[in-house]
Amino acid sequence: MAPIVAETAKGSSTDMDNTALRYFLEVARSGSLSQASTRLYVAVSALSRQIAKLEEEVGAALFERRPRGMVLSDAGRLLAEHAQRSLLDAERVTEEIRGLTNGGRATIRVASSEGVAPHFLPQVFARFLKTHPATHFQLDVAAPSAATQRVREGTADIAVCFSIAPEKDINVVYSQRAPIFALLRRDHPLCKQDSVTLADLLQWPFAINNTGVTIRQLFDIACSLEGLVFDPVFVSNYHPALQSFVRQTDAVTLTGLLTVRSRLAADGLAALPIRNPALHQRTLQIQTMAGRSLPVAMQAFLQLLTGAIDDPQLVD
């Protein structure tokens, strides 16, 4: 383990400000000085001094000290929003300067819903590398709320996720309705129809996502409104497994179109619209942190990403 050190005594006031903000954010994330000390390899006394310095500068307490840890005060929440943007902007400038001397290298951190992770996003990454070969990508697959939170706290630059409600402190770069479809084999008897109802699916084996994802949330609402009760033969938190099960049986599952768009023909599957308003209430969103300035390379990636959602030929 690296030795614990106190803060550097020398350095510009800007360096000290950034250090104080970085320490402050880690205490906010950790909920305690001791945990932040362990993560940063910085003495508790050094963290405490930096927090006290910030509190003196803003003239207000930044944390509420509670038995189970430290919780941001109202003033602390305001400062955390500023600190996240400030440090990310500093990183953006530093990365762009480095990019001038190392062939334009940039790192883009993406958090996404599981549905767009196996096929769509890798296709977009590969297409972007053709014009920006020095780019590096990091992909973190998570539940939609977790993907949004990673952008909110600055651990991801972009979230690509399905949403059914507005999010605080988030800039929605792009939003498109993402209705839920029935996914089944192309030779399935239901494929004789142009669309189906939920009641049409009751007579067939049914596979469905675990609770916690937008598809399952809206499906449960729709079934409640229609008074329908399904008895799934297969429940999973891994959508590719549901797709594989459908290919091998007469089962039906639910999907977003973008999740399977590039694989329908190759996998012998079909996606049928479902005639139920509740299953049309979610959106696919591209999210960034509110108020953050994005690097040039990231802006170019966002342009390709939004274009690829609208035009499959860009990446398929």
Side-chain angles (χ1 to χ4, degrees), residues 38-99:
T38 300
R39 294 182 182 183
L40 292 170
Y41 303 116
V42 175
V44 169
S45 59
L47 294 177
S48 183
R49 283 195 295 273
Q50 293 287 7
I51 299 299
K53 172 187 171 183
L54 287 174
E55 290 181 326
E56 182 179 355
E57 289 179 3
V58 302
L62 298 176
F63 292 95
E64 297 176 6
R65 275 72 174 179
R66 298 180 181 178
R68 293 188 177 182
M70 299 172 66
V71 178
L72 286 172
S73 65
D74 290 342
R77 283 190 288 272
L78 288 174
L79 182 61
E81 294 172 6
H82 161 75
Q84 288 167 344
R85 289 193 295 268
S86 177
L87 293 177
L88 286 170
D89 284 345
E91 290 178 7
R92 172 183 61 83
V93 172
T94 300
E95 183 149 318
E96 290 192 347
I97 291 173
R98 289 174 178 168

Side-chain angles (χ1 to χ4, degrees), residues 182-185 188-190 198-208 219 229-235 242-243 245-254:
L183 184 70
L184 59 173
R185 284 201 332 267
H188 195 286
L190 284 176
L198 284 177
D200 291 334
L201 308 183
L202 275 172
Q203 60 181 310
W204 301 100
F206 193 68
I208 188 66
F219 171 74
V229 178
F230 281 76
D231 184 20
V233 298
F234 182 28
V235 178
L242 298 173
Q243 295 176 37
F245 183 72
V246 164
R247 286 199 305 270
Q248 301 173 58
T249 67
D250 286 333
V252 180
T253 191
L254 303 180

Side-chain angles (χ1 to χ4, degrees), residues 109-133:
R109 302 167 301 171
V110 180
S112 84
S113 298
E114 189 253 344
V116 295
H119 304 296
F120 175 69
L121 283 177
Q123 290 172 331
V124 178
F125 295 163
R127 177 64 181 83
F128 191 73
L129 286 173
K130 292 180 180 179
T131 54
H132 296 73

Side-chain angles (χ1 to χ4, degrees), residues 143-290:
S145 59
T148 298
Q149 181 59 25
R150 282 164 172 72
V151 167
R152 186 181 289 113
E153 66 189 16
T155 56
D157 303 304
I158 298 167
V160 185
C161 58
F162 298 101
S163 176
I164 57 177
E167 295 286 353
K168 184 181 178 183
D169 302 323
I170 289 295
N171 175 43
V172 179
V173 177
Y174 176 96
S175 179
Q176 182 189 84
R177 285 286 181 185
I180 296 168
F181 289 72
L183 184 70
L184 59 173
R185 284 201 332 267
R186 192 177 303 163
D187 60 354
H188 195 286
L190 284 176
C191 285
K192 296 175 182 178
Q193 305 174 203
D194 293 331
S195 62
V196 294
T197 66
L198 284 177
D200 291 334
L201 308 183
L202 275 172
Q203 60 181 310
W204 301 100
F206 193 68
I208 188 66
N209 302 82
N210 280 354
T211 57
V213 298
T214 54
I215 283 182
R216 182 60 184 268
Q217 291 168 354
L218 293 178
F219 171 74
D220 288 345
I221 291 171
C223 287
S224 177
L225 292 173
E226 291 196 22
L228 300 175
V229 178
F230 281 76
D231 184 20
V233 298
F234 182 28
V235 178
S236 177
N237 66 346
Y238 187 52
H239 200 273
L242 298 173
Q243 295 176 37
S244 179
F245 183 72
V246 164
R247 286 199 305 270
Q248 301 173 58
T249 67
D250 286 333
V252 180
T253 191
L254 303 180
T255 187
L257 186 59
L258 188 63
T259 300
V260 297
R261 186 178 68 186
S262 66
R263 299 296 307 168
L264 288 175
D267 292 344
L269 297 172
L272 291 182
I274 303 175
R275 300 191 301 274
N276 185 293
L279 299 180
H280 292 245
Q281 297 306 307
R282 70 174 189 166
T283 58
L284 174 66
Q285 294 187 357
I286 300 175
Q287 305 170 343
T288 60
M289 180 188 291

